[in-house]
Every structure is written in C-alpha cells, then in structure tokens.
Amino acid sequence: MAISSRRPVTYRVCASAVAAVLALPAGVTTALAAPAAEGSAAGGASARTAPPPSADEPPAEADSTEPPPATPSGTADPPDTDPGPTSPSDGSSDEGEVGPGDDGGTTGGDGDEEKKDGERDGGGDGDSGDDGGSDGDDQDGKKKDGTRTAAAAVAEQKREVDEVTEELRNLAAEAPGELTASVEQLTSLLEKTSSARTSPQEREGIVGTARELAGVLKTINASGIPGDVRKDLVAAVRRLVSALDVAGDPEVPPEQRAMAVVVLRRSAAVLELIADPGTPEDVRQRLARTIRQLTGALTMDGEPKALLTGAPRQGLRPAGRIGVGLSTIAQSETSDGTRKDLADATDEGSRALEEANDPTRSGEERAEARKELNEQLRRLKKLLGEEAVARGLPDTGLGEAAERCTDAVFASVSDRKLAGELGQIGPAGWAEKGVKDYWKSERAEPAALEVYAQLRNDEHDEARFEIARLISRLAEEVVPASDLIATIGTPGLQCLQSSRLLDGQGVGTGTWFALAQEVAAQGRQPASLTGSAQQLDDGYRHVDMRGGHAVPGVLPPLLRPGDRPPEVE
C-alpha cells in the first residue's frame, strides 16, 4: 500500500519570536514546561490540599540516587534539582521527584475501593447533569437533539471492532509468516473486547491500535519495501501486539491497563512514519528503537506480571509523556526540526526508562538511568510546549473545542481522579453507583456536552454537562496549565481555546486562561473571537467553581495480585 508522505508544515511563528518567549521566566513556555506546585491555588481560588499522584499526572522525575525515605501523604515532594524557571506565570513551583520504585502514581484497584470515589463526591447540585434517561430516543439510538444514547454509542464502537476484526482476518492469509501469530493474537484481543466488563476507553484504544497495525501490515506486504524498513516494522508490530496482550492480563489493575493501552496506541501512530520513504533515516531508526525500548520498559520483554511486580519500576507516568511525544511526532503539523528533536528525546527517554526498570542492573546503574530519564522528560516537556506555542490556538468554536478537550483529558487522566473531581458536578445517579470509565463527550445543546460513561456496575449511561462547569472543573482540579500539553498533547490547545471563549462569557478557568492568552499572543491567534464562527451563544452564567473538594485516597504506585488499595478517607 502506498503511504502518503506526511509533509511537515512550517512554524507559524518565527524561531526568534519563539526563542524570546521561551527565555521569559514567567512566560508561556514556563507555564507549559514548569511543574505544578503541590497545593497551590489556581485562578485566585482558595488553597486546597493537593491530591496525591495518580496515573494521569505528568511524568514525575525519579531520584538520581537510591531510594530516599517515602514522602508522607499530603506533603509536597522535595523540589527537583533542575535549575529551571522558578517563577512560572501560573504560580506553580518545580516538579516533584519520584523515588525508585514509584511508578509515578499509577492507580489501580477495582470494586468497592474505586466506587468510594463516586460515593464521596456524589450528589452534585443537579444543574449540570441528569441520569441519562432515554426520553425522546428513536429506534437507532438518536435523541431529538441529535446526540446518541450511551447504548447506541457502545453499539457503534462494537461495530468498529467487528470491522477491524474482519479486516485483520482478510489480511491474515497474506501476512508474513513471522507475523502470523501476532495477527491471530491481535484478532483474539479484539474479540475479547466484546465483554461487558471491558471499558469503552480500553476498547477504543485497542481498536485504534489495531487499525494502525492493519495499515502497516498492508505496507509490509507491498513489494519494493526496503529490507531494513520491513524488519523494523515487523519487530514493531510483534512488540506492540505482545504488549497489548500483557496489558490485558486479568491481574493487571484496570487503570494501569487502560493507561498502558493509551501509550501503546500513541506509539502505533508513528508506524506510518517508519514506513514512509520520506522519513529521514536517523528519525526512522530512533522511532523504531523507541517502540522497542518503550514496550520493553512496560512489559520487561513480555513477562505477564511485569506491570505489577519485579524490580522498582518507573513506568506508566514517564511512558505516558513519551507516548505524547510519539503522537506529536506523527502529526503532519509538526515541523521537521521539531520531529527530529522529539524523536531524539523519546529515543533517549525510553532507553533510560527501560534501563531504570531492568532488574539485572545494579542499583547504581538504575539510579543513573533515572537521572537520565529525568533530563529527557524535562526536555520532552519543553519541546512539546514549544510546539504548542508554534501552532497557536485553533480557530474552533466553543462546542467543538470543549468536546475535543474533554475527550483528550478523559483518555489521558485516570478515571479515579476524574471520578473524584467531577463527582460534585455530575448526576446523583453516577455518584451513587460510581463511575468506572469516563469515556467521551459529544456536542449537545450550544452550552452543553453529552458525556458518556461506564458505571461500576458495567452499565453504560449518558448525562448532560454544562460546558462552563465541566471545563472549569477540568482546568482548576484535574490538569493544571503547567502540565496540560505534556499530559494530553496538542489537543490541549483546544482546552486553551475553550477557556478563552468561556472567559468572554464571564467563566473563569484559572491557569488555563492565563496560558491561553500567552499562547495566542505568541502563536497564531484565532481569526475571530466573536460571531457565529466561535459559537459564542447566549445563556451562559458565571459559575463560581471555588470551594472545598475531597482529596482522593493514596494508592501504592503498583498493586500486586490480591493487594487492596487503602481505604479512602
């Protein structure tokens, strides 16, 4: 199959302008690259106790020495020694360190422990969501306002599973002999997603990865592909499929499994670049190595319980940032220069991550690897921030920007944290039953999104959320501006755009708005902030999002089979 060359576009701002912005200690790149302070107040809100790390939080750096004493719950981690900016515009301080054996706060656990998040935050005020009733639904699952029921959305997703499964079956006969087992394994993984217990987010990640792999199978089968490129593609497919299988082990906690699937899907996005004859050889080799090293770091070469047991691990949070770097590399908007720099950073970062997790290495060697990992994670954060500045804010309307932003946050942030922070503005029924998976959103009425979720009892439901309340909550409690781009990638620009549009309606979004202003000033500003193009609809009310919130319970970074998370207070 011919691969369309992903031709990069030039930066929308000149290099000198970007460099000037990056040099400002309180400027936009500081907000993008500077770590968030524990317990800092955002947007003038009263200071709150900071939640403990979770799988969604940015990849925290590891100590360069052997394990220090554990940081007590509820206290700030010691500051990073990196001499970076010290006065970011959002009031955050340097990123905390994570000692050996801390996977970066990935969360796990199932059953009643996770349900308590919903119970703790339940109730809400009844203004932002309903219990997802089906009044006015027609036979194909469409509501009168054009949105779908949750059941219809899941049914459509399962039809996609069937389509990709059928495509793989058709490709199996022509697949290279060394990939026959991988194609069968991937087909089996897709079939397993039909289980009612599989979360929609996990299913979507597996389907997306399978689509990428199906595309590269066609390329491998094509005549004329260079032997070294074919070899790299075959190795990448085998490793990605194997890692998906490891992540699907029943003993892997659901949140760790979901985060691993997201990382693998983002990794698969660069397969097209590896296959593209227009990709520079050094970039191609670095991308191939990154996939090898990243999957090795997550699975330790296929050990079924590697995500749960073994040597002290630095895993999912650093892997999450590397995955964001890979997905940005794959985007056609990314310039050649930035793509090369990101490829280098992901290559070096994944190598350090794998070495930091290698139980055959000495403690001194792992400590040195953690030090290198820290440096590459900081470098990645800086590069991703520079790319965001170069692109500027998108010219999208509020509904579209809010939908894209929300979907990216839902994919990148742990459902435990989302349940803890969104429970207060969601429907009472969700709080009572507990939310297992915040899946996706869909534009509904001008001022609202339909949010789809899987509840703890595996029921699928939908509820109406006001955009103003939802975006404000995500900005103030879920992903601070300092971590936004590094956590969810370039879709974070949609978050900043929605924040800027909401500000015109008197809705505050804390540090997101401050960063949006700075990005708009340095990058490409939207063509217009008024009029129908931006869908600035009437009917918004100023929403005061300040007030107390519950702090999620502290979870160990990794859970072994049979472990139970501590009780949520």
Side-chain angles (χ1 to χ4, degrees), residues 1-4 6 163-172 174-176 179 183 186 190 206-223 225 229 233-234 236-237 240-241 268-276:
M1 181 189 73
I3 296 294
S4 59
R6 293 174 180 249
E163 291 174 2
V164 179
T165 302
E166 183 63 25
E167 183 179 7
L168 285 173
R169 286 180 177 142
N170 293 334
L171 289 170
E174 302 176 5
L179 285 180
V183 173
L186 183 58
L190 281 167
I206 294 175
V207 172
T209 306
R211 283 193 185 280
E212 296 283 359
L213 296 178
V216 81
L217 282 174
K218 298 174 184 177
T219 302
I220 293 173
N221 286 337
S223 60
I225 182 172
V229 175
L233 290 173
V234 168
V237 170
L240 287 167
V241 173
V270 300
L271 291 175
E272 183 179 344
L273 275 174
I274 294 175
D276 190 343

Side-chain angles (χ1 to χ4, degrees), residues 516-529:
Q517 291 288 81
E518 295 178 23
V519 171
Q522 302 297 334
R524 180 181 65 83
Q525 296 191 42
S528 172
L529 289 176

